[in-house]
Amino acid sequence: MTTRATRLLRMLDELRQRRGPVRGAQLAARLGVSLRTVYRDIDALRAQGAEIDGDAGVGYRMRPGFVMPPMMFPDEELEALVLGARWVASHADPELAAAANRALDRITGVLPERLRLQVETSGLFAPHWRPREPEPWLPALRQAIRDGHAVRMRYRDAEGRDSERVVWPFAMAFLDDMRLLAAWCETRADFRHFRADRVLELESTGRPYPEQRHQLLRRWEQQCLGRRASREQ
């Protein structure tokens, strides 16, 4: 991909990520080019069908609803996508693994021949050397996280004690040898982490929990940072 083509894609990304108008000078600083180059690139993108509102001195923004054309990727971004999809395909539950393969096929399908060949012959792999059956309730947990629904589960802790509790799942970490669930526990009235392989039974309550998922994430992150700061003092 040429330097100019890469720059045009970066400019589209910059505009797509902004909610309000962004001035030409800001784009020039972000892209490391002159203001005159920004104006020429805006004109070039418009000529290719990009729906960009605004003028010099006022700012530019992508028109709502504009669908970006099939993406071109620099080599390192493409390698990251391939490696990430292959890691998910080898470490996640069957449904998520299949979705990763479909996503990679979809990306490959819109790439020009040179980049498609680069994906198909990529030497980056993510094999799982210690395969283990994924927990059967991973799809249900991922669905509960997406929907913001509480789940009821029976859980066995590290000491072998069983308990039944209702939790609000909001995040899951896929580690090499385990899956960890972050949730608000109604029983403990606090954030808790659960190993998916210690869940004995799980069912969705179908009940939305009272907070937005992003609010739980923010509170959990603040609590984690606070505890880390306390340990470092």
Side-chain angles (χ1 to χ4, degrees):
M1 196 186 318
T2 66
T3 302
R4 184 166 187 265
T6 302
R7 188 177 69 246
L8 292 177
L9 287 173
R10 286 189 59 198
M11 182 174 290
L12 281 175
D13 274 339
E14 287 290 333
L15 293 169
R16 181 178 54 83
Q17 294 169 14
R18 305 294 184 108
R19 294 185 177 181
V22 53
R23 291 185 176 275
Q26 293 175 279
L27 289 172
R30 290 284 295 175
L31 300 173
V33 297
S34 68
L35 189 56
R36 179 175 297 180
T37 298
V38 167
Y39 294 152
R40 284 202 302 263
D41 287 350
I42 291 289
D43 289 339
L45 288 171
R46 284 171 169 169
Q48 295 176 28
E51 299 178 353
I52 301 173
D53 293 331
D55 292 293
V58 177
Y60 301 95
R61 66 188 295 268
M62 192 78 75
R63 189 174 301 170
F66 172 69
V67 178
M68 292 179 64
M71 291 293 291
M72 298 273 287
F73 296 95
D75 291 345
E76 288 189 347
E77 290 183 5
L78 194 59
E79 289 178 347
L81 287 171
V82 172
L83 184 59
R86 287 178 174 173
W87 193 96
V88 173
S90 65
H91 289 72
D93 58 89
E95 290 185 14
L96 197 58
N101 286 324
R102 289 196 304 271
L104 189 56
D105 288 343
R106 183 173 299 179
I107 291 171
T108 304
V110 300
L111 292 174
E113 184 176 355
R114 182 187 71 81
L115 293 182
R116 183 167 61 250
L117 181 63
Q118 185 174 325
V119 170
E120 294 171 348
T121 61
S122 172
L124 302 181
F125 299 97
H128 199 176
W129 297 114
R130 297 184 299 278
R132 56 184 301 176
E133 286 296 318
E135 295 79 13
W137 28 79
L138 289 183
L141 278 173
R142 291 191 287 102
Q143 185 68 47
I145 291 172
R146 282 196 300 268
D147 295 341
H149 285 180
V151 299
R152 181 177 291 105
M153 68 181 185
R154 190 158 65 88
Y155 187 76
R156 178 167 294 164
D157 65 18
E159 283 72 40
R161 297 170 299 197
D162 292 4
S163 62
E164 186 171 316
R165 57 186 77 196
V166 174
V167 301
W168 308 346
F170 59 86
M172 188 185 303
F174 286 75
L175 307 180
D176 188 54
D177 58 346
M178 72 178 76
R179 269 65 59 182
L180 284 178
L181 174 69
W184 175 267
C185 178
E186 292 186 356
T187 303
R188 304 296 186 218
D190 198 0
F191 292 109
R192 287 291 186 270
H193 300 127
F194 304 96
R195 285 179 49 156
D197 60 344
R198 291 179 181 164
V199 176
L200 304 176
E201 296 176 6
L202 183 138
E203 63 175 352
S204 176
T205 65
R207 169 173 60 88
Y209 45 71
E211 289 191 57
Q212 296 294 317
R213 182 159 53 92
H214 69 271
Q215 295 173 327
L216 287 171
L217 270 169
R218 188 177 298 115
R219 288 208 292 126
W220 171 69
E221 289 171 347
Q222 290 172 346
Q223 186 181 93
C224 290
L225 288 173
R227 288 175 177 172
R228 186 181 306 167
S230 297
R231 289 196 299 267
E232 291 174 353
Q233 289 178 353

